[in-house]
Amino acid sequence: MKIYIWLSEELSKKLDELGLNYANEVLGGMKRIEIEVEDNIVNKILELLPYVKVDTSTTNSIELLPKSFKSEILKTMVEKRLEPKQALLEVIDALEKRINS
Amino acid sequence: MTQFIGHGRIKIVERVIRNFGDFNELNKINVRRQLAHEIIGIAYGFFSPLKGFMTFNEVDSVVKEMRLPNGIIWPIPIVFDIDEVNGIKEGDTIGITYMGKPLAIMRVSEIYTYDKNYMAEKVYKTGDVKHPGVKRTLSYANKFIAGDIWLIREPKFNQPYADFWLTPLQHREMFERKGWKNIVAFQTRNVPHTAHEYLIKYAWFAANGKERVDEPKTGILVNVIIGEKRIGDYIDEAILLTHNALSKYGYISKRVHMLSFTLWDMRYAGPREAILHAITRSNLGCTHHIFGRDHAGVGNYYSPYEAHKIFDNIDEKDLLIKPIFLRENYYCPRCGSIENEMLCDHKDEMQVFSGSLIRSIILDEVKPTKTIMRPEVYDILIKTAKEYGFGSPFVTEEYLEKRIRIFE
């Protein structure tokens, strides 16, 4: 299962400049970060964001993740110079603390 | 002089009575949206030579032979299903209302039943209820009424639909005014990305054929299907206004571009529906029709180019329109352009414009590169989402509940 995060041209350039070259070009110059996630992470996301859709038939990805959640992952990557999966785990952790506080 | 000869080489006649006085005295049926749309379509000649809803013999002939009993090719039954006859008899003239207002009258020629499972199997080549056309067919009521219809109250379209509504006769008058001799139809239910744009442009060249290119003799009719919406589809307003943006901002010149819509609930009948699209667009006066990959298909019920193959078995004389078959376009990073398998040999590097990919970009609220979607098209899409889609360019439950009416 994957999480896909599309990048705008500006953000893609910025990440490249910072050496955070984790995105792949998918279509006509559009770049996307792909984060492979295990079942326990998928379950955690579903617990925290129950409205997301896990699409196992076509895209094999977690869909309808809020824009703010994806933006937070990118922000964490930039601020802490983390690779995408580490940034994702930090964001999940922070979200869980916020919800439980 | 505008030519009004339509499918089957039969003159298109509008079936509209503008001052019908005796409506209140008629036995009445209130119809759902699908039937109201089809009544409007029949009355203006989109489905010419049909004058009304099909009889048992017509349905049977269409289902088995893909032809009307008079030999004219016709792929999909156009039927009026009814739960309760409520005293209606063959020979009666009945009133038809939609959302409580008079819409049409019908002279009932027959009340009959038909095996819906058989109809579905033959038309859709499957009995699987997951197929939306099969599901629709099986959900029809148990009786059908046949008969000629006449529209007695013409629809008044709300914006933005009003800007793009044309009857078949009005389409033909517009084509004549523009001086177009060839008109290539592009069928869509999508917001345009650049692969669509190039599909349309390639087809323009094919349709233009031997015409000189010093002034436009060939035009493109983008004809949007407006009908049943499902959660996740693009909202109708977005489809119309983004296609309009393509010519408004010059990506397809206004000299060769026209936009309109047809009221029709897609049946997703793949090859059979391709024939129906050819018929309706020939009634609009189009001379050519684009058929791409998976035309009118759904899921894996039809092979990607099955809607092309069906034309192998159809005599050219059966249709007034020529199909233009195109392969799926993709972005080729090596060529740096939109290509397809027939035109470039870098298939291994191709980047495919899949619907789910484009959708995921839009859902991430990321502006696509101009190689994928024209910036103005994206901007209009987002504006339309705010204006008509309650914040989403895709159909939501809220949109289905509160959307503006297409017509009054």
Side-chain angles (χ1 to χ4, degrees), chain B residues 116 238 276 390:
Chain B
K116 292 183 283 184
L276 187 80
F390 308 94

Side-chain angles (χ1 to χ4, degrees), chain A residues 4 49 85 88:
Chain A
Y4 294 127
L49 305 164
K85 186 144 181 196
L88 167 71

Side-chain angles (χ1 to χ4, degrees), chain B residues 95-311:
Chain B
I96 296 170
T97 58
Y98 177 53
M99 296 203 293
K101 292 181 190 166
L103 177 68
I105 57 167
M106 178 191 227
R107 189 170 296 150
V108 179
S109 59
E110 192 182 4
I111 301 170
Y112 62 97
T113 57
Y114 197 92
D115 183 341
K116 292 183 283 184
N117 286 300
Y118 181 72
M119 189 192 290
E121 283 270 3
K122 292 291 280 183
V123 172
Y124 300 104
K125 293 171 68 179
T126 174
D128 187 351
V129 290
K130 287 192 204 121
H131 185 297
V134 173
K135 189 177 167 195
R136 180 186 295 266
T137 303
L138 298 184
S139 70
Y140 285 153
N142 287 327
K143 288 194 176 71
F144 298 100
I145 54 173
D148 292 355
I149 60 100
W150 289 265
L151 198 65
I152 60 160
R153 187 175 57 84
E154 293 189 84
K156 286 196 175 65
F157 286 88
N158 292 317
Q159 289 297 352
Y161 303 96
D163 287 345
F164 307 107
W165 170 251
L166 290 170
T167 65
L169 300 189
Q170 288 168 339
H171 275 91
R172 288 162 182 247
E173 284 160 2
M174 285 289 280
F175 297 154
E176 188 171 313
R177 225 175 295 154
K178 286 171 179 287
W180 294 349
K181 287 167 65 180
N182 307 304
I183 301 100
V184 58
F186 177 66
Q187 132 90 28
T188 188
R189 294 175 65 252
N190 265 309
V191 161
H193 48 61
T194 47
H196 293 131
E197 189 185 316
Y198 278 86
L199 206 64
I200 295 169
K201 287 176 174 172
Y202 291 146
W204 182 90
F205 282 105
N208 196 55
K210 290 187 220 162
E211 300 291 344
R212 285 172 51 182
V213 287
D214 46 357
E215 55 181 288
K217 293 278 187 221
T218 297
I220 297 153
L221 177 71
V222 175
N223 192 238
V224 176
I225 292 284
I226 302 276
E228 184 191 33
K229 302 303 289 186
R230 297 189 292 182
I231 303 278
D233 288 348
Y234 284 108
I235 61 172
D236 286 331
E237 296 85 353
I239 303 169
L240 284 168
L241 294 171
T242 53
H243 272 283
N244 189 49
L246 275 185
S247 63
K248 186 176 177 186
Y249 296 100
Y251 294 106
I252 301 179
S253 169
K254 287 189 189 77
R255 289 176 303 164
V256 298
H257 182 273
M258 209 174 113
L259 175 63
S260 66
F261 65 92
T262 296
L263 296 171
W264 171 248
D265 279 12
M266 286 281 293
R267 305 300 205 263
Y268 304 95
R272 281 211 186 211
E273 184 133 5
I275 303 291
L276 187 80
H277 292 167
I279 290 169
T280 52
R281 275 54 185 253
S282 70
N283 283 331
L284 305 185
C286 296
T287 55
H288 297 74
H289 198 299
I290 301 171
F291 294 101
R293 184 191 158 101
D294 290 323
H295 187 96
V298 63
N300 295 319
Y301 295 100
Y302 312 104
S303 61
Y305 293 101
E306 201 165 329
H308 295 191
K309 287 179 196 149
I310 194 169
F311 286 91

Side-chain angles (χ1 to χ4, degrees), chain A residues 29-74:
Chain A
M30 286 299 294
K31 289 188 178 173
R32 186 173 73 174
I33 290 175
E34 300 179 9
I35 309 175
E36 185 83 46
V37 284
E38 295 76 26
D39 286 352
N40 61 324
I41 301 176
V42 176
N43 292 337
K44 179 58 77 181
I45 291 171
L46 279 169
E47 190 186 311
L48 298 170
L49 305 164
Y51 48 85
V52 302
K53 186 179 152 204
V54 178
D55 180 3
T56 49
S57 57
T58 40
T59 60
N60 197 36
S61 69
I62 303 179
E63 295 179 347
L64 303 179
L65 280 164
K67 170 83 176 162
S68 56
F69 182 81
K70 291 188 177 182
S71 298
E72 202 58 36
I73 296 170
L74 295 169

Side-chain angles (χ1 to χ4, degrees), chain A residues 6 26-28 30 67 70, chain B residues 351 357 360-361 364 369 372:
Chain A
W6 288 97
V26 179
L27 176 62
M30 286 299 294
K67 170 83 176 162
K70 291 188 177 182
Chain B
Q351 297 177 350
L357 212 61
S360 70
I361 296 171
D364 270 9
T369 57
I372 297 176

